[in-house]
Amino acid sequence: MLRKNDLDAFIDYLQDSSGLNSGNAQEIVFPETEQEALDYFKEASQNKIPLTISGAGTGIVGGRIPWGGTILSTEGLKKIIDIEKFKDKPGGTALIEPGVSVEQLCEEAAKYGLIYLPDPTERNAYIGGTVAANASGAKGFKYGSTRWHILGLHVILPTGQLLNIQRGEGTIKNKLHIPIKNGIALSCSLPAYSLPKVKNTAGYHIFPGSDLIDLFIGSEGTLGMVSKIKVTLGELPQQDFTSVIFFKIQAQALEFVLKLKERTYQSRRQKKINDIDAACIEYFDEYALDILRGKYRQIAVGQKAAVYFSQDVFDEQGMNIMEEYAGFIDSLKIKDNQIWFSSSERNKELINAMRYDLPVLINERVKENGFSKISTDISVSDYNFPAMFEFYERRLRNTSIPFCVFGHIGENHLHVNLMPENERDFLKGKNLYLEFIQEAVRLGGTVSAEHGIGKLKREYLKIMLGVKGIHEMAVIKQTIDPDLILNQGTIFEESVFRPL
Ligand SMILES: Cc1cc2nc3c(=O)[nH]c(=O)nc-3n(C[C@H](O)[C@H](O)[C@H](O)COP(=O)(O)OP(=O)(O)OC[C@H]3O[C@@H](n4cnc5c(N)ncnc54)[C@H](O)[C@@H]3O)c2cc1C
């Protein structure tokens, strides 16, 4: 196994996409097999060496940034071990190593007529990193988060044991109980907190009746290293019906979203195959459109909002779906000149590029400003979304900080991006962010729907779960990682740990 201890070898691994600059380490190791990773974990455990697991570094909450010790990079673990296409039903499975990127898995799966459905926007992310973050993609409105698609995991525990966990084989009863060897088990009580019943990745996912595998998914590498992953794959759709509708009045965009969601829920309830069933509903406010216009001149001036939506279309559905959408859009009196359709490859590319480019353009702008962006990852229930949206509007109306709002409105999960240009605005932005968090928690929502807590959002998790909830999580962490060597500083401040 390659090991390097000169700063030049790991300087890039001291960062991720969060802009946080606090990383330091003494060594980096690059296992190329699960056994090499396991051996290193045993060495780190014996010598109590702090260890931080590194994926592709696309995380935006500082999770992989090391605070001392060794970095274990998963980039050498990039084998797609097996892809199986079901013979008797659509879809299949893949068995992969954690350093396989989203792009690599999607390309390989496509050769079998299959697709990896969570598909986060950042395709350089490693699947191991997306499991650790419980990441979600644009099509989360239909396909949910990574958790929904994980069938099995190998997890290397901080104490150097390898767990093989298959979904359905480890239902949690009234306590956590993980047998490890010779009759020894890791055991502790369960947290009493309830997690928000919305799209969520914040807080250890464990309660009576939950599956042991779900404790590790979304745990941001604080409980173990995911060293092998079995995922479900869907059937590759023949087409992807995609459209963007631009609105000169923002309220009409929100009305459109509501109607599209209602129609989708209705067809799902009635199990209609040839009907509207949006996979993705995304929102762009006028300022997001201004940023996009810098690159895509085709976006007309004066639009107050846009809604992007798409649906996977299979052969047997074909024209029916297009006709259903045409009738639906017509019934809402939306004019042809407001709509972009994926009627040609060129149009489709343009629409998708627009969707994928926005976070990248924002990040470029933020880099120029020289101050980190402040970006929310809040989600609330359908019922509470109008109140949350109104709160955003009210608080943003008079701010001097440049901002834009975009994201997964289908799941009531918008990213408010504040892009401060000076220290004063940065501090004001942090306060504004705190107000958004407090309001989301008041409305029963989450402080992180998909990006995780990492090192940047620990104080917000405390608001969501309370000090008691954080201590309940810390008990689980200490049970599994008694020397607290793994991913130090991620999710937990050191002060929350107490002798067990
Ligand atoms: C432009 C852009 C767009 C993005 N879009 C999305 C999006 O649509 N949806 C979304 O959810 N996120 C998105 N993200 C965030 C990011 O891509 C995800 O959080 C992703 O899951 C991080 O994967 P990674 O491999 O880069 O992990 P890293 O950043 O390297 O690490 C993230 C965390 O996972 C841990 N980790 C990594 N590998 C393992 C492993 N094998 N076992 C255990 N722990 C591990 C690390 O220690 C760290 O805590 C976006 C980021 C960018 C920059």
Side-chain angles (χ1 to χ4, degrees):
M1 179 178 69
L2 191 63
R3 301 172 80 133
K4 292 186 178 173
N5 55 16
D6 50 311
L7 181 63
D8 281 353
F10 56 71
I11 194 152
D12 290 345
Y13 300 80
L14 300 182
Q15 300 160 11
D16 63 358
S17 305
S18 64
L20 196 68
N21 288 321
S22 57
N24 74 85
Q26 280 70 52
E27 189 181 26
I28 185 163
V29 300
F30 297 92
E32 290 185 8
T33 62
E34 185 176 67
Q35 187 59 48
E36 283 183 352
L38 186 59
D39 289 344
Y40 189 77
F41 265 74
K42 285 183 180 150
E43 181 183 328
S45 165
Q46 265 161 23
N47 299 303
K48 300 194 182 5
I49 302 168
L51 186 57
T52 302
I53 308 162
S54 179
T58 68
I60 42 187
V61 289
R64 80 141 187 190
I65 295 178
W67 281 359
T70 299
I71 302 163
L72 187 146
S73 164
T74 54
E75 69 192 55
L77 297 163
K78 50 175 183 242
K79 280 200 257 338
I80 295 180
I81 300 163
D82 185 36
I83 292 191
E84 189 195 339
K85 188 173 163 97
F86 298 138
K87 293 197 177 68
D88 51 346
K89 57 180 178 181
T93 60
L95 181 65
I96 57 173
E97 292 187 328
V100 169
S101 69
V102 174
E103 178 83 31
Q104 192 189 342
L105 179 57
C106 287
E107 274 180 10
E108 198 55 31
K111 294 180 191 162
Y112 295 76
L114 298 169
I115 182 169
Y116 180 59
L117 292 165
D119 196 8
T121 313
E122 175 50 87
R123 289 195 142 205
N124 295 314
Y126 295 165
I127 302 294
T130 65
V131 172
N134 187 31
S136 314
K139 291 184 178 174
F141 181 55
K142 182 166 174 68
Y143 301 118
S145 67
T146 300
R147 186 186 304 288
W148 296 23
H149 304 271
I150 302 299
L151 294 172
L153 290 180
H154 280 195
V155 179
I156 304 178
L157 299 182
T159 40
Q161 286 91 17
L162 180 68
L163 291 185
N164 177 352
I165 316 174
Q166 300 303 310
R167 185 170 290 286
E169 290 179 3
T171 306
I172 303 288
K173 299 205 171 86
N174 51 1
K175 62 197 303 213
L176 173 67
H177 183 83
I178 308 177
I180 46 169
K181 60 175 179 190
N182 312 330
I184 301 174
L186 303 174
S187 189
C188 67
S189 52
L190 300 184
Y193 57 67
S194 350
L195 294 172
K197 290 178 183 49
V198 300
K199 177 180 183 182
N200 175 42
T201 193
Y204 287 157
H205 190 101
I206 182 167
F207 46 86
S210 65
D211 196 306
L212 177 63
I213 202 166
D214 286 322
L215 171 62
F216 292 93
I217 301 168
S219 66
E220 302 183 48
T222 56
L223 298 178
M225 172 187 152
V226 171
S227 56
K228 220 169 261 173
I229 307 159
K230 186 168 183 184
V231 298
T232 56
L233 298 173
E235 189 187 351
L236 190 67
Q238 277 76 30
Q239 293 174 56
D240 180 355
F241 171 78
T242 308
S243 177
V244 183
I245 303 186
F246 295 92
F247 296 88
K248 287 206 165 115
I249 300 171
Q250 186 206 45
Q252 288 176 356
L254 299 177
E255 177 69 10
F256 174 78
V257 169
L258 204 65
K259 291 268 167 14
L260 181 55
K261 283 176 74 168
E262 274 170 12
R263 178 67 184 265
T264 296
Y265 290 152
Q266 188 191 35
S267 59
R268 284 183 194 169
R269 265 196 314 271
Q270 296 173 352
K271 298 195 169 39
K272 287 188 178 169
I273 296 170
N274 287 325
D275 204 343
I276 289 178
D277 180 1
C280 151
I281 312 176
E282 305 277 301
Y283 175 81
F284 302 85
D285 79 345
E286 58 176 307
Y287 305 107
L289 293 175
D290 285 345
I291 293 175
L292 281 166
R293 195 175 296 109
K295 183 163 177 186
Y296 301 102
R297 296 271 153 211
Q298 300 91 327
I299 299 172
V301 179
Q303 309 299 327
K304 292 290 177 201
V307 179
Y308 165 109
F309 55 97
S310 80
Q311 178 162 339
D312 294 342
V313 181
F314 298 91
D315 260 353
E316 64 276 15
Q317 299 170 309
M319 287 309 290
N320 273 344
I321 300 291
M322 319 288 170
E323 280 163 17
E324 290 296 335
Y325 271 106
F328 171 72
I329 290 169
D330 226 32
S331 73
L332 297 173
K333 313 228 172 327
I334 292 167
K335 298 197 183 73
D336 285 354
N337 64 1
Q338 288 174 257
I339 311 171
W340 289 3
F341 270 126
S342 56
S343 48
S344 66
E345 263 319 298
R346 204 162 144 259
N347 272 2
K348 190 171 160 183
E349 266 169 37
L350 173 67
I351 293 172
N352 283 330
M354 202 181 113
R355 156 80 185 78
Y356 279 82
D357 273 350
L358 182 60
V360 178
L361 293 171
I362 292 172
N363 286 348
E364 281 169 9
R365 178 155 170 191
V366 166
K367 246 188 192 155
E368 278 170 28
N369 289 349
F371 287 88
S372 312
K373 81 174 171 188
I374 302 169
S375 168
T376 67
D377 188 23
I378 287 167
S379 161
V380 294
S381 63
D382 278 354
Y383 180 77
N384 282 317
F385 181 69
M388 191 71 223
F389 192 86
E390 206 272 325
F391 189 81
Y392 288 142
E393 289 274 294
R394 205 161 6 106
R395 300 301 292 115
L396 289 168
R397 200 167 296 144
N398 300 318
T399 183
S400 58
I401 313 165
F403 73 89
C404 71
V405 181
F406 72 96
H408 321 296
I409 197 164
E411 299 141 281
N412 313 308
H413 173 207
L414 291 178
H415 299 297
V416 177
N417 278 254
L418 299 160
M419 297 168 282
E421 291 169 339
N422 55 52
E423 186 68 32
R424 207 170 126 257
D425 277 357
F426 182 73
L427 295 175
K428 271 176 28 192
K430 295 286 273 186
N431 286 335
L432 200 49
Y433 188 104
L434 188 61
E435 287 186 48
F436 293 150
I437 293 285
Q438 284 162 337
E439 183 65 1
V441 170
R442 196 185 68 78
L443 294 171
T446 179
V447 301
S448 177
E450 67 180 4
H451 294 151
I453 300 300
K455 296 185 172 70
L456 281 184
K457 301 198 170 177
R458 301 181 302 188
E459 62 187 289
Y460 307 130
L461 185 63
K462 209 182 294 166
I463 295 172
M464 185 174 112
L465 296 182
V467 174
K468 183 168 169 280
I470 301 291
H471 281 126
E472 290 167 352
M473 282 179 66
V475 169
I476 295 179
K477 164 77 174 166
Q478 281 176 280
T479 302
I480 294 179
D481 182 8
D483 293 316
L484 301 173
I485 59 170
L486 198 58
N487 277 21
Q488 289 185 350
T490 292
I491 300 184
F492 300 101
E493 284 162 30
E494 218 184 311
S495 58
V496 303
F497 297 110
R498 299 169 179 162
L500 286 182

